Amino acid sequence: MSESDGVVDTDAEADEVVVFSDYVCPFCYLGRASLAQYRESRDAPLAVEWHPFDLRGYKRDENREIQTDVDDGKDDDYFEQVRENVDRLSEQYDVALDIDAVPDTDSWNAQQAAFYVREEHPEQFAAFDDALFAAYWDDHRDIGDLDVIADVADSVDLDSEEIREAATDEEWADRLEAQFQEARDRGVTGVPTFAADGHAARGAVPPEQLERLIEG
């Protein structure tokens, strides 16, 4: 979740950006606000391609369960710095964001549901993606809960039972895990990562940096 430039292997063309993201990452939510501001400033449309990334994948065991006792080296000073950065960027991008109000949840089910929608109902993906972020960061709902995921699906005119089943389907879980591995193979180490034309910007970078990345 840094804000440095880097290089990521990507097939994105000019006027298209690939976004690697995890719903429970506050900087992904803030990065969306920055991207929205940049898109509003453009004369031409911008294609956005979403890719899932498992922010806490290194904590998962062989059953894909997050192990809370894994030492990640993130102490109180680290989380205080995160809080300060979130507050600063929230003000910069005019976003109301309370990281203490959201539930502690595993985003796997939400990401699997979103990946399924991206593949099977691409015309509805953007709305579903927006609604999942809003459910978590605006409404403080547990998007790891299948009932919440189904409700979010219903709110954007998707079949709630279809999405509920897809969120826990083992075949789709394997495909999602392959997506996570593909992101790592492409050099993605944190989120959000915005990639275009072989280059990348990591973190909730400002709109002008996105402009340089995509147009420069």
Side-chain angles (χ1 to χ4, degrees):
M1 294 187 289
S2 66
E3 296 182 26
S4 60
D5 287 330
V7 177
V8 168
D9 181 18
T10 175
D11 297 327
E13 301 292 338
D15 296 324
E16 177 183 68
V17 63
V18 175
V19 182
F20 297 86
S21 179
D22 188 335
Y23 291 107
V24 296
C25 171
F27 297 101
C28 292
Y29 188 70
L30 291 161
R32 289 168 64 84
S34 176
L35 180 60
Q37 291 179 17
Y38 164 62
R39 295 178 82 177
E40 289 175 1
S41 72
R42 287 173 53 92
D43 293 328
L46 174 69
V48 178
E49 181 179 324
W50 172 84
H51 283 257
F53 185 85
D54 192 10
L55 186 62
R56 291 176 289 187
Y58 64 96
K59 290 187 174 185
R60 296 191 188 277
D61 62 17
E62 63 277 7
N63 298 315
R64 300 179 177 138
E65 298 292 332
I66 293 176
Q67 300 302 299
T68 57
D69 59 351
V70 173
D71 183 9
D72 56 11
K74 297 177 180 178
D75 55 16
D76 290 343
D77 289 341
Y78 169 84
F79 287 108
E80 182 58 32
Q81 186 63 54
V82 167
R83 188 181 304 278
E84 291 176 4
N85 287 336
V86 166
D87 290 344
R88 173 177 57 82
L89 293 170
S90 295
E91 182 175 355
Q92 181 177 341
Y93 300 148
D94 193 25
V95 173
L97 185 62
D98 185 352
I99 61 175
D100 295 318
V102 294
D104 183 17
T105 189
D106 184 348
S107 64
W108 185 292
N109 287 345
Q111 295 220 63
Q112 186 166 320
F115 176 52
Y116 174 85
V117 172
R118 190 195 78 175
E119 296 298 294
E120 299 298 315
H121 304 283
E123 71 286 351
Q124 291 167 280
F125 171 74
F128 186 58
D129 184 48
D130 287 344
L132 280 173
F133 267 107
Y136 189 64
W137 291 106
D138 296 345
D139 302 331
H140 310 148
R141 304 178 71 187
D142 183 356
I143 58 169
D145 186 291
L146 293 176
D147 289 338
V148 173
I149 293 171
D151 189 50
V152 171
D154 186 63
S155 75
V156 295
D157 297 325
L158 285 161
D159 185 316
S160 60
E161 290 308 308
E162 176 188 354
I163 305 308
R164 181 195 294 271
E165 292 177 10
T168 56
D169 182 88
E170 278 301 310
E171 180 180 345
W172 281 96
D174 290 341
R175 293 179 65 179
L176 178 64
E177 192 166 42
Q179 288 282 302
F180 292 152
Q181 184 59 51
E182 179 185 343
R184 292 190 291 269
D185 291 344
R186 293 169 73 173
V188 179
T189 57
V191 287
T193 291
F194 301 92
D197 197 25
H199 297 278
R202 296 180 177 88
V205 297
E208 54 269 23
Q209 190 167 341
L210 291 174
E211 180 180 2
R212 290 196 298 272
L213 172 71
I214 295 163
E215 302 178 31

